[in-house]
Each structure stands twice: as structure tokens, then as C-alpha cells.
Amino acid sequence: MFTITASIQARPCEQPQVVIAGISFTGNEITKEQVMRQDFTFAVGDTVNAEELEPLLEENRSRLFNLRLFHHVTYAYTCSGGLVQVRYEVQERFYIYPVLIFDFADRNFNAWLEKRDWSRIDYGLSLVRRNFRGRNEEVRVRVQQGFNKRLEFSYRIPYISRAQNLGAEIGIADYRSRTVNYTNLDNRQYFHEQEEGRIIRRTAFSAGLIHRQSVQRQEGFRLSYHHERVSDTVTILNSAYYNTALHERRFVRTEVHKAINLRDYFAYPLSGSYFEIGAAHTFFLQQTGTGFTTLRAKYVNYQRLSEKYSYMIGGEAQLRLAREHAFADNLALGFRSLVRGYELYVVGGQHYGLFKQGLTRRVLDIEGIKLKFIRNPKFNSIPLSVYLNAFTDAGYVVDNEFGKNNPLTNRLLAGGGLGLHAVTFYDIVLRLEYTLNKEGDRGFYFSSSFPF
């Protein structure tokens, strides 16, 4: 992959054990050294077996790169008299991302393409400031108009304690739309659109604490307040939309989560593993709903079979526990998670299981395409890796509330196909996949995220 770079060894270590005498950094004009040292597994004064030195330095190079603050990370070291001097060299990214929003108002590009309704377009501006103050803080502002209106602000700081292992995040979001998915029939979304005004509005405030052991191991707690309203028409069309025939509800959600990310490259991994688990409970205020608990877990293993081939296998599951269920909360496959081949369907439910596997072959690996007309080194070299991927997916959704007229629930879903994946500038992943599902549907689907 284009992110892997070789170390430079000026003088080999002849002693069986060596001592880390010094660690230095170059290229970090903005990033504070403390941010870079925080994820290291070694420090000045440590004694290391000579044969373990290069694997140790490479592991920490990977940790630095997966901060997603740098285009490239390389290291060099010298060894003299059993003392090792280590130098890491980085090329910083551009940390301000002003992105013009021109997006489709549907779940994905393929769902929009089925309608081809040019009125269902969102536009606006998203501004992301990464590595704020050189401390790996992140500020996000989103102002969106068009079919769906959004105003969002979030701020994340990874370190608020002297021990440098506790972080915090806050967020505010307001969403308004003139259409709402009020029911599903034959696993297709049915919308009601209001010509004037906004048929639905959601407002949320959140705050959280993050315990950060390293870039690979984190856990956290989040508390959020939500206020949601729909027009009276929605409750007439579907009295179970909020379950109580009300058009407004307020609730507080508490969440705990843990992630162990041991992948070699977070944007497009070829080796390592990923595990996450989370639990959330929703408390409704002023008798506007029935509380429920959601449990989620995910595990994926990535194995490098050879220089060009790698294999991925993993699963994901959700349990939602409640006495009563509202249609608005009945989300399972078709949004954040899905069985490939079913991009045009939504499979709502309370519980689901998802399985994915894939065999990947690297077909192209270019470290950097030089753009001579651009002088800024943060922009004038575009890396490009291309992979051919063969995959199979399977899933099962349990829906005991709204599955009567949706035949894809409470049955096995399966799909497979071939895909071409491109990984490039600033962790961008582009996927074009041809799939065939169990129902006999086939076609090309486009996406801009890693499949699992």
C-alpha cells in the first residue's frame, strides 16, 4: 500500500541489547511533540533487544500514521555503542477542509438514482478544522440548505487531563426536512412530502468523555438530549411513528462504547483486527415514549495472505430491548449497515446479525502522482492504490412489530459480487461494485466508504 515506507538505518546495532538514547521529530510544524509521543510504546531510557528494535519502530510509525494527521511517516535511527538515536520524519496534511456540499437527499447514491429527482439535492458548506492548536483537536461546522436543512457544530479534544488519557467532545445539531419516511412497504421507503414548511425537525445536544489509552484503544461515555417533532399528518398516516400517536417527543440517551482498533491502516486495512462494543439506553421525558436499550457489537479480522492478497472476515450484531417499539426507531439494515446487493431496500427491525467476507488483490500502487503546477507539498502528490475485491455478505433481521408487509425481514439475506476499490488522497475510498443478491437482483453500485 502507498502508506508503507522503508526505514533508513545508518548504522546496524551489534550489541544484543540497546538503549533508546533519544527520540526526535522533523516536519511537524503545527503538531505538538507531546501529541506524537503520546501513542508511543517506548520512551527514552528503555532497553530493547536488538532484533526487536525495527519491528518496534515500525509499529510506532504505524501508530503515528493512523492519527490521520500526516501524509507520510518515515523513521531513521543510528546505533553507536549500544545507544540508539531515533528520528521520525512526517509530512503534515492540510488541516482546514472547506468542503462544498452537493449531496443527494436519499440514503445513498443508488437510492437517489432510482428516483432521479433533482429537487432532492442538498447543498451548503462543511468546514472541518483538524489538528486545531496542533493538539489533534477537531472542530466541525456544517451549514446545509436544499431539500434537507442542517446546522451542526462539534468540538473534540483528545486530552483534558494531566495524564493525557482523558478527552471530551460536545455537539449541537438541528435537522429539518419537508419529507419524512413515514412507513415501509415491500422493504421500500414511503415518503410524505410537504410543499411548505418542514414536516419534521430534530434537535440534539450531546457531551461525552473519552478515555484514550492510545490511538488503537479507546472507550467513552456520551450523554445526549433530543427533541423531535413531526406534523400531525405523519401521525395520521402512521400512528405508530412515535408509537403513542403523538407528534412530538423528548428523550435523553446514555451511551457507553469501547473500540480496539489494531488494523494496519485505518482507512483501508489489509491486516490486523477491529473490535467495538456499545450499549445505550433511551429515557423518554414527559411520557412521550417507551424507553429501550440497544446493544451493538462488531468484530473484523484482516489477514495478509501474501504481498498482493489479503482476506477479511467479520460480523456485526444488534439487539434492541423494549416493551413497545416506535417506527422511527425501527432501524436495522439499509442505512449504516447493509448486505451488499440490497442497497435499494430497507430492512427495519429490532435485532439483526450481519456477516461479511472478502478476498482482496492489489492491482495498482502508486506512492504519488506529482502535480508539477502545484507547489504546496500538501497537495502536489496524489497517492493511489487500486484493489480488486470479491465478496459475499449475509444478514438476518428480526422484526416482530412492522415486518408484516416487508418480506425481507425474518429471513436470510445474501449477496455477493466483485468490486474495484480505489484509495487515494486524504483517506478517500471509492468503491464500484457489481452485486447479485438472493432475490435475483443484480447491478452496479457506487459508494465512498470502506465496506466493513
Side-chain angles (χ1 to χ4, degrees):
M1 182 180 290
F2 62 82
T3 60
I4 301 300
T5 54
S7 64
I8 304 171
Q9 182 176 336
R11 186 181 300 171
C13 296
E14 299 176 353
Q15 294 80 3
Q17 287 189 324
V18 296
V19 176
I20 305 296
I23 305 172
S24 61
F25 301 92
T26 59
N28 54 314
E29 299 175 1
I30 297 175
T31 310
K32 306 294 184 184
E33 278 197 15
Q34 179 59 34
V35 171
M36 303 171 72
R37 293 178 186 272
Q38 185 63 31
D39 284 295
F40 272 25
T41 60
F42 68 95
V44 173
D46 286 357
T47 300
V48 181
N49 292 330
E51 71 265 11
E52 298 174 359
L53 179 61
E54 288 209 23
L56 178 68
L57 299 181
E58 171 58 26
E59 176 191 351
N60 285 271
R61 186 207 67 82
S62 180
R63 283 173 172 246
L64 276 180
F65 186 81
N66 280 324
L67 289 173
R68 298 190 177 187
L69 300 178
F70 312 113
H71 281 309
H72 302 288
V73 180
T74 59
Y75 68 85
Y77 68 93
T78 59
C79 187
S80 177
L83 300 178
V84 174
Q85 298 285 342
V86 182
R87 184 181 78 253
Y88 280 91
E89 183 175 352
V90 302
Q91 184 188 68
E92 292 184 314
R93 297 184 178 187
F94 193 70
Y95 297 127
I96 300 178
Y97 303 85
V99 179
L100 292 175
I101 299 170
F102 184 83
D103 204 0
F104 306 103
D106 295 278
R107 293 175 296 113
N108 52 53
F109 171 73
N110 302 287
W112 177 86
L113 192 62
E114 193 177 34
K115 303 181 185 71
R116 298 188 184 183
D117 182 354
W118 286 99
S119 70
R120 300 177 67 86
I121 296 295
D122 297 328
Y123 57 88
L125 178 68
S126 178
L127 181 64
V128 180
R129 176 62 164 95
R130 294 214 61 199
N131 205 16
F132 181 52
R133 302 193 300 166
R135 301 176 186 272
N136 199 18
E137 301 171 20
E138 183 174 286
V139 181
R140 289 178 176 267
V141 179
R142 183 184 181 103
V143 180
Q144 176 182 300
Q145 297 292 310
F147 197 81
N148 300 311
K149 295 181 181 293
R150 292 181 187 269
L151 290 174
E152 297 177 359
F153 169 81
S154 66
Y155 175 56
R156 181 188 58 81
I157 177 171
Y159 314 113
I160 60 173
S161 65
R162 289 188 176 181
Q164 300 288 299
N165 62 359
L166 190 65
E169 59 182 8
I170 60 171
I172 302 171
D174 183 79
Y175 167 85
R176 307 179 190 191
S177 180
R178 55 190 175 95
T179 189
V180 64
N181 167 213
Y182 69 91
T183 192
N184 296 333
L185 182 62
D186 292 327
N187 296 104
R188 299 293 185 120
Q189 292 179 297
Y190 278 71
F191 293 89
H192 179 71
E193 186 171 337
Q194 189 169 286
E195 291 298 328
E196 296 185 4
R198 298 290 161 172
I199 196 172
I200 185 170
R201 178 175 180 177
R202 302 189 186 105
T203 304
F205 305 90
S206 66
L209 292 175
I210 304 168
H211 181 240
R212 189 180 186 280
Q213 300 179 50
S214 69
V215 68
Q216 297 175 324
R217 300 174 184 268
Q218 301 181 26
E219 52 264 340
F221 169 80
R222 183 181 296 113
L223 179 68
S224 57
Y225 169 79
H226 303 257
H227 181 199
E228 299 182 349
R229 296 194 297 269
V230 293
S231 70
D232 293 336
T233 306
V234 176
T235 58
I236 294 172
L237 291 169
N238 185 355
S239 61
Y241 189 82
Y242 285 151
N243 193 45
T244 52
L246 298 175
H247 70 278
E248 185 174 8
R249 66 179 187 174
R250 294 179 172 86
F251 58 91
V252 174
R253 179 170 293 150
T254 59
E255 302 174 67
V256 291
H257 56 89
K258 181 179 181 64
I260 302 175
N261 192 345
L262 304 179
R263 298 176 293 186
D264 59 341
Y265 176 39
F266 288 4
Y268 197 94
L270 298 175
S271 65
S273 64
Y274 179 81
F275 171 75
E276 69 170 299
I277 189 169
H281 187 77
T282 301
F283 303 87
F284 285 89
L285 308 177
Q286 300 173 345
Q287 298 182 335
T288 56
T290 302
F292 61 88
T293 299
T294 304
L295 306 175
R296 289 193 181 96
K298 178 179 180 178
Y299 177 77
V300 194
N301 184 264
Y302 309 86
Q303 298 180 10
R304 192 184 291 271
L305 304 178
S306 66
E307 183 181 351
K308 290 188 176 183
Y309 286 91
S310 64
Y311 174 71
M312 176 273 289
I313 185 170
E316 177 183 325
Q318 171 186 286
L319 292 175
R320 179 167 290 128
L321 310 174
R323 289 186 290 107
E324 298 177 334
H325 299 274
F327 175 80
D329 304 315
N330 203 55
L331 304 177
L333 299 182
F335 295 88
R336 183 178 63 92
S337 303
L338 58 82
V339 175
R340 281 173 286 184
Y342 292 84
E343 282 85 350
L344 301 180
Y345 301 96
V346 291
V347 190
Q350 298 84 55
H351 321 303
Y352 74 82
L354 181 62
F355 167 83
K356 289 177 182 277
Q357 67 173 345
L359 180 66
T360 298
R361 186 189 190 279
R362 188 180 70 231
V363 295
L364 181 66
D365 190 11
I366 301 175
E367 184 173 340
I369 302 172
K370 297 296 182 181
L371 305 178
K372 296 182 179 180
F373 58 92
I374 299 178
R375 294 185 178 181
N376 193 326
K378 298 178 181 180
F379 295 101
N380 65 6
S381 180
I382 300 178
L384 178 64
S385 293
V386 178
Y387 301 90
L388 182 65
N389 179 255
F391 60 87
T392 58
D393 294 0
Y396 193 98
V397 176
V398 176
D399 188 351
N400 297 321
E401 298 289 331
F402 307 99
K404 182 179 180 181
N405 297 313
N406 294 284
L408 296 182
T409 57
N410 304 306
R411 56 173 292 195
L412 179 67
L413 309 177
L418 289 173
L420 202 61
H421 301 171
V423 189
T424 185
F425 216 39
Y426 286 83
D427 299 332
I428 295 174
V429 178
L430 302 175
R431 294 161 39 212
L432 180 63
E433 296 172 335
Y434 180 80
T435 64
L436 171 66
N437 67 22
K438 186 182 174 186
E439 323 312 314
D441 301 327
R442 63 187 68 196
F444 285 97
Y445 298 98
F446 174 79
S447 182
S448 58
S449 61
F450 186 69
F452 206 50

